[in-house]
Amino acid sequence: QVQLVESGGGLVQPGGSLRLSCAASGSINNIYAMGWYRQAPGKQRELVASMSRDGSTDYADSVKGRFTISRNNAENTVYPQMNSLKPDDTAVYYCNRNPPFLTPSGMDYWGKGTLVTVSS
């Protein structure tokens, strides 16, 4: 059973920075990319950034130039550094495989996430 644990969220002022962490344990297939998703109030969950096993990265247009992710393959951990945060970045952030891990019933599996609130 895969376990995903996100941490590092909190309240930050516009223009501030946060560094999140994600620890994945259980049955992990390294052929797939690991990344970060977010779900803002009233919006669908979206993929923000991902990193493949070989270190290549991909970012959503909304965060390019502001977010950077790194990965520790041995520890199955990814770290997003989020700079120049905007109120629109307010969301619950989730780490997961890309495509996401599945539950035994075939639905996408998600951890509890970590809340990032960008506000004055």
Side-chain angles (χ1 to χ4, degrees), residues 50-72:
S50 64
M51 175 176 285
S52 65
R53 175 76 179 182
D54 65 5
S56 61
T57 57
D58 192 23
Y59 298 92
D61 289 340
S62 59
V63 305
K64 285 182 178 178
R66 301 188 298 116
F67 290 12
T68 303
I69 60 171
S70 58
R71 178 174 179 173
N72 186 316

Side-chain angles (χ1 to χ4, degrees), residues 19-78:
R19 181 175 173 84
L20 307 182
S21 296
C22 173
S25 61
S27 298
I28 306 297
N29 190 342
N30 291 324
I31 195 172
Y32 297 106
M34 293 293 295
W36 282 84
Y37 303 72
R38 70 183 182 187
Q39 186 167 25
K43 293 188 175 182
Q44 296 182 349
R45 196 180 342 247
E46 63 175 339
L47 178 65
V48 175
S50 64
M51 175 176 285
S52 65
R53 175 76 179 182
D54 65 5
S56 61
T57 57
D58 192 23
Y59 298 92
D61 289 340
S62 59
V63 305
K64 285 182 178 178
R66 301 188 298 116
F67 290 12
T68 303
I69 60 171
S70 58
R71 178 174 179 173
N72 186 316
N73 290 324
E75 299 180 0
N76 297 316
T77 303
V78 292

Side-chain angles (χ1 to χ4, degrees), residues 12-13 24 41 58 82 99 105 112 118:
V12 63
Q13 295 183 348
D58 192 23
M82 308 188 300
S105 64
K112 296 181 179 180
V118 184

Side-chain angles (χ1 to χ4, degrees), residues 100-110:
F101 293 108
L102 299 179
T103 68
S105 64
M107 303 297 293
D108 290 349
Y109 167 83
W110 299 99

